[in-house]
Amino acid sequence: MTMNANQDTKLSEDFEEDEDLEIDILDIDIFNQLLTMDEDDDYDGDSSQDEEDLHKFSRDIVSQYFDQARTTFADMEKALKAKDLPKLSSLGHFLKGSSATIGVKKVMECCKHIQFLGKLQNINGKDSVDKEQALKLITQELQTGKKEYINAREFLGFFYECSFAPAKEDSDAEEDSKHDVSQATG
């Protein structure tokens, strides 16, 4: 999405026509706060370099988030295979915070559930669950979280007009996940 100085850089206005994407993938208010950190005071609309740099700050933060999420999901897979609930809870908490900072709602929600389940609490953090039930539910949340991560990455890649990671890497990770999950729960 290329914008000039006269265009509003707010995502909610850019995607006003497609509210379902906004509502399902991003917390628009949080993402707009991130966009306000982009330094565009010097943008004059004449240089293609200026256009490329318009959202450099927020794009770099989002790119770092996707790298971090990919690594954290891989660590979650290892912890799931080892049935290490405290580690899963800790990783869920970590990625929940990172996702909340960017406004990636569904990944944040899945990670919150993983955090609770790792403490043998239900997804609302109130009632208790046994270890096997927790592992089964974490498996489901992890698969959902990874799918939502891919959706967010594609959506924000469209917004920033870039690719945050090769699709093959996620396909390989998803296949590994299915294999690891069947071993962890089987």
Side-chain angles (χ1 to χ4, degrees):
M1 218 168 279
T2 304
M3 298 178 200
N4 64 39
N6 296 325
Q7 292 176 308
D8 192 339
T9 60
K10 301 294 187 203
L11 184 67
S12 59
E13 293 174 14
D14 293 337
F15 291 99
E16 193 172 315
E17 303 284 315
D18 200 342
E19 290 180 19
D20 289 342
L21 284 176
E22 293 175 2
I23 293 167
D24 287 346
I25 295 174
L26 286 178
D27 181 316
I28 298 305
D29 292 333
I30 291 172
F31 191 71
N32 277 335
Q33 289 175 8
L34 179 62
L35 290 178
T36 62
M37 291 186 227
D38 286 322
E39 295 184 45
D40 61 347
D41 296 342
D42 297 333
Y43 179 72
D44 60 15
D46 293 333
S47 167
S48 64
Q49 182 65 34
D50 285 342
E51 286 182 19
E52 290 175 17
D53 291 342
L54 178 62
H55 290 297
K56 184 178 181 345
F57 180 78
S58 65
R59 184 181 61 238
D60 288 348
I61 289 174
V62 169
S63 179
Q64 289 171 10
Y65 163 76
F66 287 122
D67 290 343
Q68 182 183 74
R70 196 170 29 259
T71 300
T72 304
F73 281 132
D75 291 344
M76 286 179 172
E77 291 291 347
K78 290 174 191 170
L80 182 60
K81 187 175 183 179
K83 299 183 180 184
D84 187 345
L85 291 174
K87 181 74 171 177
L88 285 160
S89 180
S90 176
L91 291 167
H93 175 75
F94 174 73
L95 190 52
K96 175 187 77 173
S98 298
S99 299
T101 300
I102 303 297
V104 182
K105 296 186 326 184
K106 287 188 175 182
V107 173
M108 181 194 70
E109 194 69 23
C110 289
C111 289
K112 180 174 89 172
H113 297 165
I114 291 170
Q115 177 185 357
F116 287 141
L117 291 164
K119 295 178 181 179
L120 295 176
Q121 299 170 332
N122 71 4
I123 62 172
N124 296 321
K126 298 188 181 194
D127 298 321
S128 63
V129 295
D130 65 44
K131 184 175 182 175
E132 291 309 311
Q133 185 181 16
L135 289 168
K136 180 180 177 185
L137 293 171
I138 287 171
T139 299
Q140 294 169 356
E141 292 292 339
L142 186 54
Q143 288 175 341
T144 300
K146 288 170 75 174
K147 288 177 189 172
E148 294 302 330
Y149 150 83
I150 291 168
N151 290 339
R153 193 191 72 213
E154 289 174 356
F155 181 76
L156 289 170
F158 173 77
F159 175 77
Y160 286 108
E161 297 180 339
C162 68
S163 174
F164 289 108
K168 180 175 181 354
E169 184 175 310
D170 290 321
S171 297
D172 292 345
E174 194 169 311
E175 285 303 312
D176 291 344
S177 169
K178 289 176 186 174
H179 178 72
D180 290 345
V181 166
S182 66
Q183 287 182 344
T185 58

